[in-house]
Amino acid sequence: MANFTIGSTIYTKLGSSATITGYVGTNPKRIFPDVAPLERSQTFPYITYSIVSQVPTNTKGPTSEGDAVLTGPTQQKSILDVVRVQINAFATTYADGVNLSDAIRQTLDRGIGSGFNIGSGPVIDSVVYDSFSTSYEDKIKPDGVFNFQQEYIIRMITEI
């Protein structure tokens, strides 16, 4: 199976939710990494997701820990990366934006438990809903568009 990244894991998880695909369609799904292509972003609602940062946790022990011959450098590696992800839901009505945002939170924050993975990677230790904001974008289309922005902190296990 293909080597999945955290981005493809998010896409697959969001795209497998019947509630979310009820809003963003199935063929093609309107879930995009980073920015929606202009020719497809005219159909609302849609979702974009971005990896804001990925930082290894600082759990490295001193070089005196472990046996360099038997265990090699595994004693010196952080086994968790902390990934910050931003999810944007764009909708033409406030109600659609609220409902889609709620479905995203149910799917990511409450629908992924410790040890979750898709395909060949990455193993998720935890997903934590971190923040939420809304804005009204009046330049995207004449009647305006609501943008519901959520941030999540994902702890990803980098070795097992």
Side-chain angles (χ1 to χ4, degrees), residues 134-146:
T134 63
S135 62
Y136 183 74
E137 311 285 345
D138 59 357
K139 293 186 175 44
I140 292 179
K141 82 179 250 179
D143 296 335
V145 174
F146 294 93

Side-chain angles (χ1 to χ4, degrees), residues 2-135:
N3 183 23
F4 280 79
T5 64
I6 195 71
S8 62
T9 298
I10 290 167
Y11 175 86
T12 302
K13 187 66 175 166
L14 292 176
S16 66
S17 164
T19 304
I20 291 173
T21 58
Y23 286 99
V24 299
T26 57
N27 189 20
K29 291 182 189 128
R30 294 185 310 275
I31 303 172
F32 309 102
D34 298 318
V35 178
L38 188 58
E39 71 276 1
R40 297 201 15 224
S41 66
Q42 302 305 310
T43 304
F44 293 90
Y46 65 87
I47 298 169
T48 62
Y49 60 93
S50 301
I51 308 304
V52 176
S53 66
Q54 183 168 336
V55 180
T57 56
N58 189 13
T59 57
K60 297 177 178 151
T63 56
S64 61
E65 283 185 7
D67 184 323
V69 175
L70 294 176
T71 61
T74 60
Q75 297 296 321
Q76 304 305 312
K77 291 181 181 175
S78 300
I79 62 165
L80 291 172
D81 283 353
V82 177
V83 182
R84 183 171 288 275
V85 177
Q86 180 181 25
I87 312 284
N88 291 289
F90 294 92
T92 55
T93 68
Y94 189 81
D96 279 352
V98 167
N99 292 332
L100 183 54
S101 294
D102 181 59
I104 291 167
R105 183 166 184 194
Q106 293 291 333
T107 301
L108 295 181
D109 181 45
R110 299 180 181 148
I112 296 179
S114 183
F116 175 85
N117 77 324
I118 295 175
S120 61
V123 177
I124 305 298
D125 177 62
S126 65
V127 175
V128 177
Y129 175 79
D130 186 50
S131 65
F132 175 83
S133 66
T134 63
S135 62

